[in-house]
Amino acid sequence: VSRTTSVPAGLRALSGGLSAAVERTVSAPVLKQYELLKRRFDAWSFDKARLHTLASAEVIIVDYFDVLLLRNANYGELEKSTAAVIFFTPGAARRDMPREKRALNGSLKAKPPRSRLPLPDEVVFGLAGILLSLGHKVVALMVFLGKVGFMRPMELVNLKCED
């Protein structure tokens, strides 16, 4: 499934693909990630029961969670895998999958997310000093403001005057 296809418009959904309108509900990078996750899921579930009903899809997804958890997958990977399977399964919706929701909550308890510690002040201010000495005043200021403003890296890049 991809944005470039040889199937003419008006026949893509009938041939088992995604219509152009459905494809555009997610960005190109997300669609690419969904395709990869769905291929992995399909490869694992190839010899399992087919996804004939939403109930069978949910059971297979929950079993797949076990496999991913044994492979040290994090919560985000489980959630994205579910989203990918649901995206490519006609009629599927998360609200119709209570076991999947319980399994996701259980995965959080089994493997809680780890937070990353911030860089020490000395490292950040040293980096800003090196950047200043190299003549990169704006970047040095961004590093300094990011540290004292408790900002994530992309928040600095997307910073606007009204912020």
Side-chain angles (χ1 to χ4, degrees), residues 68-88:
L68 291 178
L69 281 173
L70 291 173
R71 292 182 187 159
N72 261 345
N74 60 29
Y75 178 81
E77 203 173 330
L78 297 176
E79 196 170 39
K80 278 281 191 187
S81 295
T82 303
V85 172
I86 288 172
F87 184 78
F88 291 110

Side-chain angles (χ1 to χ4, degrees):
V1 180
S2 70
R3 290 186 192 269
T4 56
T5 181
S6 60
V7 179
L11 298 174
R12 292 172 71 186
L14 285 173
S15 65
L18 296 173
S19 71
V22 170
E23 269 189 5
R24 283 171 179 72
T25 61
V26 296
S27 66
V30 171
L31 181 63
K32 200 172 196 174
Q33 187 180 30
Y34 278 5
E35 289 170 343
L36 172 70
L37 293 169
K38 180 68 163 77
R39 279 194 304 272
R40 288 179 184 168
F41 175 80
D42 288 343
W44 173 82
S45 67
F46 181 72
D47 61 338
K48 313 297 183 274
R50 299 277 180 212
L51 298 179
H52 291 300
T53 65
L54 295 182
S56 68
E58 182 183 28
V59 169
I60 294 171
I61 289 170
V62 170
D63 281 345
Y64 187 55
F65 282 180
D66 289 344
V67 172
L68 291 178
L69 281 173
L70 291 173
R71 292 182 187 159
N72 261 345
N74 60 29
Y75 178 81
E77 203 173 330
L78 297 176
E79 196 170 39
K80 278 281 191 187
S81 295
T82 303
V85 172
I86 288 172
F87 184 78
F88 291 110
T89 304
R94 270 207 162 107
R95 68 178 177 276
D96 300 328
M97 299 186 173
R99 282 182 249 155
E100 176 268 338
K101 186 175 181 178
R102 278 196 307 268
L104 269 178
N105 289 337
S107 72
L108 272 176
K109 291 179 182 178
K111 189 174 182 198
R114 291 183 286 170
S115 60
R116 295 182 293 262
L117 295 174
L119 287 173
D121 290 345
E122 297 81 9
V123 172
V124 175
F125 299 144
L127 177 62
I130 291 170
L131 288 167
L132 272 175
S133 70
L134 294 173
H136 300 291
K137 294 177 185 173
V138 174
V139 178
L141 181 63
M142 286 178 66
V143 168
F144 176 76
L145 288 175
K147 177 65 176 178
V148 298
F150 300 103
M151 295 181 182
R152 298 180 192 104
M154 288 311 294
E155 290 175 333
L156 281 169
V157 174
N158 297 326
L159 199 58
K160 296 180 177 66
C161 291
E162 59 265 12
D163 293 336

